[in-house]
């Protein structure tokens, strides 16, 4: 197969970090991206070139293109962290082994990204996808499902029978609901809209708290008493989470993995750290990838794929946007915020 | 020896917790204590009766009498957590062994306290004091010195060559300065008054930052870059500490062991938890006592006593107030805040 010299891609306009903290909401992409042409990237040693089938959109992508994520932008590089595609070239033993295989991947290198026709990634960051797995499930296979799986491992390791999960109508929240139910764990899901409650209960959340409910604080306090959750998994990092944390029992851990709320929380009770042994910490999937053993990674990825293939997990895709239409259509497609939006070349 | 039936004591007026958060400052003791007579308490099994020689005053005592500490008050009980005295009675094997010995102690039981002529404590909470140790050093032997020693163990275990210490002109801060110097560790001491800086440097702090210095933030940021402290030991739990924590490098831990500042801090950068692996936690000596092995405790207490006997540590007593004069004299005696105030019966 002959590879083309150039390809279409969504190209970053900004460079480095931005001083803003505007969150994941996107009204228009014009300040951040442009649709254009880039040379097809070349794989170095230990890297593979992938023809992208489908790229997923995560909140981290939206933070990133704005310059508000934990990694700096490179102006002129393609955007997009995650997707699924076919390996068409590669350098090195493992890379050559992957040639011709369908893989899920994370993290473009050499100025490449998933929101493009081709991407170069480290072979080590590719996961061969079983044939029975749909592209829709494989495209968002790593970031959210592996985060859900490994965060649920934290809940299990803590010994807590229950946990609190904020922004629970996210894809991550839905994945967690099923994991919780199937493992006999009590998920206390915190959501914004009453209309989302039933679906989340069906997926496996035992309790659903709606932030706009005037009884929210009282209900949360009652659940903290009865279920005694020791883990708060939080994508919001705002005052609602801080107050939930304060209502939780001794030795509770507030684990922040996202920052949807742009207002900074106030820590009202220092005594909770001293006398109650509470803790605030963070979670980032990339650190898990750096620290976990190869065996743990393989077992986790296989378990995640099997959960999708068995139908225990399904990716709810609400919109699929073509690369050429992203600038025009993506902001509206993201608005409902209730399911996954995919990009196809 | 015949024991009297009653004794003089400073008696708690309040009960349980108070809703206030006024801090350790005391203008008058009248709302919290009264000087009066109580029956001499009786030791139960495994407990000893101690004739108090000298009681120390810690910030925790002042929070406690106000109802702002992590333990509830019992109305009518004597105040005071810590002191030194002679064991005059005891029930149980170890308690009888202690009879006649001079001991440092923490934590009165059965409604007794250290700010009295007699106190009953668990025999397990007594430490026999070597003859060469002064009463002034023994009276405050456990709370501050053991806290300093065990918190410094946290610094050592972290592998960080340096640490930040707030409210560093406290007795604890002075003890830490010596430990830091003698162990080749860099202490970055944060204080309020420039006048305290030289003494703290003499005691062993390598760097001293004065909060009122207009260059405070810039100097702190520069030291965080050059010394790379991973541990912040903090008795203040206010915005100054939160901003120091934000300036510290990846994997920094903010360890809160007190809350001198009554204003709650704002956490501005959730990303620091996620991407930089930072953590907020607490430290409480009572948890160390509950969790450490007997051997660790004995080694620690022996090391602490030897440090006082060798003169490496000295308790700087600025005032000694008689029990009968406490209501009138203590608030003024505490005002300078630069050394230890003791109570003698």
């Amino acid at each position: 197969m002959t590879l083309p010299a150039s390809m279409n891609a969504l190209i970053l306009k900004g460079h480095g970090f931005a001083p803003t903290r505007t969150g994941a909401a996107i009204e228009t992409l014009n300040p951040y991206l442009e649709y254009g042409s880039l040379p097809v990237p070349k794989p170095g040693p230990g890297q593979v070139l992938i023809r992208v089938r489908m790229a997923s959109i995560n909140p981290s992508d939206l933070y990133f293109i704005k310059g508000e994520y934990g990694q700096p932008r490179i102006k002129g590089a393609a955007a997009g962290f995650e997707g699924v595609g076919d390996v068409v070239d590669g350098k090195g033993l493992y890379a050559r082994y992957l040639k011709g295989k369908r893989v899920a991947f994370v993290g473009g290198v050499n100025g490449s990204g998933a929101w493009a026709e081709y991407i170069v990634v480290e072979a080590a960051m590719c996961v061969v996808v079983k044939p029975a797995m749909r592209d829709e499930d494989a495209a968002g296979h790593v970031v959210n499902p592996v985060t859900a799986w490994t965060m649920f491992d934290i809940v299990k390791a803590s010994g807590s029978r229950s946990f609190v999960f904020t922004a629970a109508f996210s894809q991550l929240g839905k994945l967690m609901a099923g994991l919780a139910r199937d493992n006999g764990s009590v998920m206390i899901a915190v959501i914004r809209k009453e209309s989302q409650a039933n679906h989340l209960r069906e997926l496996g959340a035992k309790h659903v708290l709606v932030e706009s409910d005037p009884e929210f604080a009282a209900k949360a306090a009652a659940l903290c008493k009865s279920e005694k959750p020791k883990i708060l998994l939080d994508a919001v990092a705002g005052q609602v989470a801080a107050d939930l944390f304060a209502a939780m029992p001794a030795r509770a851990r507030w684990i922040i993995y996202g920052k949807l709320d742009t207002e900074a929380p106030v820590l009202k009770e220092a005594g909770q750290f001293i006398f109650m042994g509470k803790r605030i910490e963070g979670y980032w999937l990339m650190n898990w990838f750096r620290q976990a053993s190869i065996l743990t990674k393989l077992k986790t990825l296989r378990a995640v794929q099997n959960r999708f293939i068995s139908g225990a997990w399904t990716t709810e895709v609400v919109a699929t946007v073509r690369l050429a239409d992203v600038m025009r259509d993506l902001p509206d497609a993201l608005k409902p915020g209730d399911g996954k939006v995919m990009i196809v070349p």
Side-chain angles (χ1 to χ4, degrees), chain A:
Chain A
M1 192 192 88
T2 316
L3 291 169
S6 68
M7 64 175 188
N8 294 314
L10 289 156
I11 302 166
L12 291 167
K13 282 183 165 176
H15 191 76
F17 298 108
T20 50
R21 289 292 176 268
T22 55
I26 294 271
E27 283 303 317
T28 164
L29 290 168
N30 290 330
Y32 317 118
L33 293 178
E34 59 183 341
Y35 180 65
S37 181
L38 285 178
V40 169
K42 299 213 180 307
Q47 300 175 345
V48 292
L49 177 69
I50 297 166
R51 189 170 51 225
V52 177
R53 285 173 178 238
M54 186 176 278
S56 76
I57 299 174
N58 294 305
S60 50
D61 288 302
L62 305 176
Y63 283 106
F64 177 72
I65 62 174
K66 290 177 161 189
E68 301 182 7
Y69 197 62
Q71 291 169 295
R73 296 168 294 182
I74 298 167
K75 190 177 170 171
F81 286 134
E82 186 181 30
V84 63
D86 302 293
V87 176
V88 293
D89 197 8
K91 283 215 171 68
L93 202 67
Y94 182 56
R96 285 205 305 275
Y97 159 78
L98 289 175
K99 207 166 160 180
K101 294 200 159 54
R102 187 172 62 131
V103 296
F105 59 83
V106 186
V109 291
N110 310 344
S112 70
W115 298 1
E117 293 179 275
Y118 293 88
I119 181 174
V120 168
V121 304
E122 301 290 343
M125 298 303 275
C126 291
V127 184
V128 178
V129 178
K130 295 188 181 185
M133 196 170 181
R134 301 183 307 153
D135 277 348
E136 285 75 4
D137 292 325
H141 165 30
V142 180
V143 173
N144 279 315
V146 177
T147 299
W149 191 275
T150 52
M151 287 206 306
F152 191 72
D153 277 345
I154 296 175
V155 175
K156 282 198 282 191
S158 77
S160 182
R161 271 189 59 255
S162 60
F163 64 99
V164 181
F165 199 97
T166 62
F169 210 69
S170 61
Q171 197 208 351
L172 204 48
K174 293 172 184 170
L175 298 171
M176 288 298 280
L179 278 180
R181 183 195 48 210
D182 298 349
N183 286 276
S185 178
V186 172
M187 177 172 178
I188 302 169
V190 179
I191 55 172
R192 296 197 179 204
K193 299 178 204 159
E194 174 63 41
S195 61
Q196 305 165 332
N198 273 342
H199 187 47
L200 212 51
R201 276 195 203 96
E202 280 164 20
L203 288 172
K206 176 146 181 216
H207 304 288
V208 179
L209 293 168
V210 184
E211 282 181 41
S212 57
D213 183 345
E215 301 287 299
F216 174 76
K219 286 178 182 170
L223 283 174
C224 286
K225 279 231 163 91
S226 60
E227 300 286 4
K228 298 186 179 53
K230 296 273 171 55
I231 302 281
L232 165 59
L233 294 167
D234 176 40
V236 187
Q239 198 58 44
V240 170
D243 293 344
L244 282 167
F245 178 60
M248 287 169 72
R251 288 179 298 286
R253 289 159 63 195
W254 176 6
I255 300 174
I256 300 173
Y257 69 90
K259 47 171 174 131
L260 294 174
D261 199 322
T262 52
E263 217 171 307
V266 178
L267 290 183
K268 293 172 193 160
E269 289 284 349
Q272 297 216 326
F273 299 98
I274 307 169
F275 305 118
M276 298 176 75
K278 293 192 180 184
R279 237 155 75 184
I280 306 178
E281 56 200 280
Y283 182 81
W284 192 27
L285 182 64
M286 287 305 123
N287 281 334
W288 180 83
F289 268 108
R290 279 175 201 144
Q291 288 160 10
S293 70
I294 299 273
L295 190 68
T296 302
K297 278 182 223 172
L298 283 175
K299 278 169 72 174
T300 301
L301 291 163
R302 192 172 308 148
V304 163
Q305 291 202 8
N306 286 338
R307 236 186 121 78
F308 278 111
I309 291 168
S310 74
W313 271 345
T314 311
T315 307
E316 297 169 7
V317 177
V318 293
T320 302
V321 182
R322 294 177 57 85
L323 206 52
D325 303 329
V326 161
M327 296 302 294
R328 188 190 64 202
D329 295 345
L330 190 64
D332 279 347
L334 289 170
K335 288 250 162 71
D338 284 3
K340 203 78 186 155
V341 179
M342 299 293 186
I343 297 176
V344 290

